């Protein structure tokens, strides 16, 4: 194997290329399982959809999943074009760096790391809570949520340390099971005709624009987080120039159709006039009460178990994404070189996996010491941070696609490099603005009358998004001034070709 030729002295002491390169044979299906598992379909249908209805635009919420899928599909067109012309596994920060410059790329890198870390720890909090409730409800010991969360962190770390094929197989089994149980529930609702008959009421313009569609769109966009990580698995993909674009399109379309269908079925299960009242009783249990009503107690029990495995699949998938982001950033001189090491047997970024496991565990301990509620605070707050950050990241990536191809003329397809990216950019900027404006509602930072206000929590959490981007930009500027040679090859160091 050989890498791009640069002056070794200017790059510092780094391991030989063979210790830093991941190789694998992941196909479209394996990568789709990985990123769709990160989106946690059952968790979204059971948790986010009821909240989107209650706090967003009510019965019209299912249509926002379809709208989000269209926006993200447009974004994916430009993303796929970049993966063909920039054969690097860094995804967001690689593409932003090539399009908008190295400092912007470094800012995207730190922002992406914040995005995936916050969404992962948010779900770690939620799954710890659900495990505690489930075990105590079955007559077991009443163990604090953070203990369960730490157990899950350890198990995820063990799987993440090993070869990616093992994780993909585990995720594949869990994903098929959770999607299967939801489709069984949807079929039962359709066969029984729902509560008031089947209709397209959720897709009527009056329903879509009712309530707070901005808040609804925020929940809908959040449900897709993870699909864009297909490019980070480039080094481990079989025939990446074909596999990555296909996996990206498949993930977006599959997630969009599934969410739209499942949330529509939830509305039909209780009727357009009754679903909000039922969801208001306990939005977190709406999917379970719906299952009990349409597929019986056994179906409800199975769905409850799969809800837990859905969250586990989510955190495992994001662990794999984060470790590979850290690996790519280390190769780009943005993180310590040791994080770029690859295990000789498992071909995994094992050092990065260990560091990520320690990070997640430390945050769980911190949240426990601070006395944060695992659902209302850990899950809600940090999922909100991830939602805002990923919308900004995707908007920046769309802009980078436009600039890159206008400058290089390496791809002259108008739809792929101009029209679709422009439409995606406009949609994502609008989404980011709506998320920012409605952020207090997402994190529960509202006044006594329910009006959204940017309080201390909102300022601190949105400040994290700004700070992460600034840190990356500053890091690149400092690198340019102090280690110019490393700065110049920051993006090229991601290329280690066989």
């Amino acid at each position: 194997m050989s890498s791009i030729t640069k002056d070794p002295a200017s790059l510092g002491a780094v391991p030989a290329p063979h210790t830093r390169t991941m190789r694998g044979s992941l196909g479209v299906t394996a990568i789709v399982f990985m990123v769709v598992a990160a989106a946690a379909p059952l968790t979204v249908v059971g948790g986010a959809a009821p909240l989107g209805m209650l706090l967003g635009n009510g019965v019209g919420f299912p249509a926002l999943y379809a709208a989000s899928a269209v926006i993200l599909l447009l974004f994916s067109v430009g993303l796929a074009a970049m993966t063909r012309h920039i054969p690097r596994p860094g995804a967001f920060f690689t593409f932003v760096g090539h399009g908008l410059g190295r400092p912007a790329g470094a800012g995207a890198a730190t922002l992406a790391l914040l995005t995936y870390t916050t969404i992962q720890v948010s779900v770690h909090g939620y799954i710890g809570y659900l495990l505690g409730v489930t075990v105590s409800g079955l007559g077991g010991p009443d163990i604090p949520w953070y203990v369960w969360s730490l157990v899950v962190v350890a198990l995820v770390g063990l799987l993440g340390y090993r070869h990616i094929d093992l994780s993909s197989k585990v995720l594949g089994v869990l994903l098929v099971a959770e999607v299967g149980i939801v489709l069984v529930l949807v079929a039962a609702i359709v066969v029984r005709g729902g509560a008031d008959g089947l209709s397209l009421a959720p897709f009527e313009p009056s329903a879509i624009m009712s309530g707070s569609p901005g808040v609804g769109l925020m929940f809908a966009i959040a449900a897709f987080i993870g699909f864009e990580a297909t490019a980070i698995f480039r080094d481990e993909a079989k025939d990446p120039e074909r596999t990555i674009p296909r996996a990206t399109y498949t993930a977006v379309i599959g997630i969009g159709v599934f969410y739209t269908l499942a949330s529509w079925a939830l509305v039909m299960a209780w009727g357009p006039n009754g679903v909000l009242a039922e969801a208001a009783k306990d939005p977190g249990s709406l999917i379970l009460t719906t299952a009990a009503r349409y597929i019986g107690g056994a179906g409800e029990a199975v769905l409850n178990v799969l809800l837990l495995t859905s969250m586990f699949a989510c955190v495992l998938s994001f662990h794999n994404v984060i470790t590979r982001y850290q690996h790519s950033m280390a190769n780009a001189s943005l993180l310590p070189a040791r994080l770029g090491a690859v295990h000789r047997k498992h071909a995994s970024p094992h050092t990065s996996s260990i560091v990520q496991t320690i990070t997640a565990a430390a945050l769980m301990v911190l949240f426990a010491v601070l006395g944060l509620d695992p659902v209302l605070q850990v899950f809600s707050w940090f999922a909100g941070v991830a939602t805002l950050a990923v919308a900004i990241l995707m908007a920046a990536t769309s802009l980078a696609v436009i600039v890159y191809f206008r400058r290089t003329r390496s791809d002259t397809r108008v739809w792929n490099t101009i029209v679709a990216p422009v439409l995606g950019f406009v949609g994502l900027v609008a989404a980011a603005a709506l998320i920012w404006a409605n952020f207090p509602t997402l994190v529960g930072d509202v006044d006594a009358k329910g009006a959204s206000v940017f309080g201390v929590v909102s300022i601190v959490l949105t400040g994290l998004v700004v700070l992460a981007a600034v840190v990356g930009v500053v890091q690149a500027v400092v690198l340019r001034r102090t280690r110019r040679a490393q700065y110049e090859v920051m993006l090229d160091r991601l290329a280690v070709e066989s």
Side-chain angles (χ1 to χ4, degrees), residues 45-141:
V45 174
L51 288 174
M53 295 177 196
L54 280 175
L55 301 177
N57 59 331
V59 175
F61 179 69
L64 297 184
Y65 279 136
S68 298
V70 171
I71 293 173
L72 297 178
L73 195 57
L74 291 169
F75 162 78
S76 299
V77 172
L79 187 72
M82 288 291 270
T83 62
R84 292 179 182 275
H85 292 272
I86 301 178
R88 310 286 191 274
F92 280 141
F93 85 85
T94 308
F95 300 153
V96 172
H98 278 276
L100 304 180
R102 294 176 180 83
T110 50
L111 189 55
L113 209 53
L114 175 71
T115 299
Y116 297 126
T117 298
T118 51
I119 193 64
Q120 187 197 36
V121 298
S122 74
V123 179
H124 270 308
Y126 205 154
I127 195 173
Y129 164 77
L130 285 181
L131 279 170
V133 170
T134 301
V135 171
S136 62
L138 294 174

Side-chain angles (χ1 to χ4, degrees), residues 79 170 182 204 222 263 425:
L79 187 72
V170 171
V182 173
E204 295 176 359
S263 56
F425 174 74

